[in-house]
Amino acid sequence: MRIETVGIVGAGTMGGGIAINLAQHGFHVLLTDARPAAIEAAITGAATFWMRAVEKGRMTAADAEAAQGRLEGAASLRPLAPCDLVIEAVFEDFDLKARLFGELSAVVRDDALVATNTSCLKVGDLARHMTRPERFLGLHYFSPAAINPIVEVVMGDATAAATIEAALAFCAASGKQPLRCRDSYGFAINRFFCSYTNEAARALDAELGGTGEIDAVAREVLGAAAGPFTVMNLIKPRINLHAIRNLEPLGPFYAPAAAMVAAGEADRPFEITAGAAPTGERKGAIADHLLSGCFLPVLQALDEEVADPEAFDRGAREALKFGIGPCALMARLGAAEVARIIEPALAAYGIPRPKALDRVECLGS
């Protein structure tokens, strides 16, 4: 299936970023939102993005003008009827998305693809609200969607193989690196990213260090471009808390830490304290929290065949800007050290030993 015209429902940060990426890569984009002002702001923001790209020599003025000509607003869902693909990018609320997909079922062509940009909800659950679930899938973009290269391509229980193949080709044509995932809470990347940030909050709760010290340990042991508290402030603790809570069906290990709940429910950023990475036992304890938050979810997801090791590592490097992916790091450390790191969580939360632990030396990418 050839995808040329794409509808996007939701003109917020993610929807606007997806629109920029697609219009810049030659797709005709129809952007709609329940708030007309949001559509206008997103189109203005796209024009500003391309103007700056021209100023920096990243694209020509002619290409910027052409991209702007391919992006237009739509006052309702009805103008999306001719689209080859419609991407939903509204707030992470199941009922809101379910209602939207019911409405879209009455609008889109029978042969059109429909995708959700959800980061944590299950694609299969949302697909039940579509009349043609075989043409429904997950396309999870990462922020900033205009430039972040990773898109998780998620196959629900009813998704047809042809739908996935068309989506993979579409991602490549829009300059993205698609990561194939099975349907699971958090998919591949948020499965461990949410847990990693939550373990940072648990280390804070345990008074192992301040936010600045924990960030410094993350930069050192994972080669992260920015520590977890700095990143959570960028994406907003409220949004991160919501994503963590969506993983709670996976078990108590994924329940949000007290500090995460406090910051998220108050809708306030974490105060980033000064301080370099501590040394000795404190550094080791913080590192174990952060690494357990990455390793245990990945091992569980590998057992569930959510994605292959290369997908986890590429997502960590490209989407999250880690210096090393979790599978490569586990392979470097070895099974005995990984077992030591995750054992406290296994014992505390009654989690069975992951089978993938027996082959960590083979996981490096």
Side-chain angles (χ1 to χ4, degrees), residues 253 288-289 292 296 338-351:
F253 173 70
D288 283 355
H289 267 283
S292 179
L296 179 53
V338 173
R340 182 197 67 77
I341 290 168
I342 69 171
E343 178 54 37
L346 299 182
Y349 300 101
I351 300 172

Side-chain angles (χ1 to χ4, degrees), residues 185-243:
Y185 291 107
F187 311 134
I189 299 176
N190 268 4
R191 177 71 172 262
F192 73 88
F193 173 74
C194 287
S195 176
Y196 155 75
T197 58
N198 198 42
E199 284 302 309
R202 283 180 175 154
L204 186 67
D205 288 338
E207 299 182 349
L208 295 175
T211 54
E213 292 176 310
I214 296 169
D215 273 6
V217 173
R219 292 195 300 270
E220 184 173 328
V221 301
L222 289 164
F229 291 106
T230 298
V231 173
M232 283 191 281
N233 283 352
L234 291 172
I235 62 177
K236 308 301 182 189
R238 173 180 60 85
I239 294 173
N240 199 63
L241 173 62
H242 188 75

Side-chain angles (χ1 to χ4, degrees), residues 141-174:
Y141 287 75
F142 286 81
S143 185
I147 59 174
N148 194 304
I150 297 296
V151 177
E152 289 178 313
V153 179
V154 186
M155 185 173 192
D157 294 338
T159 308
T163 297
I164 295 299
E165 293 306 315
L168 293 172
F170 162 74
C171 289
S174 63

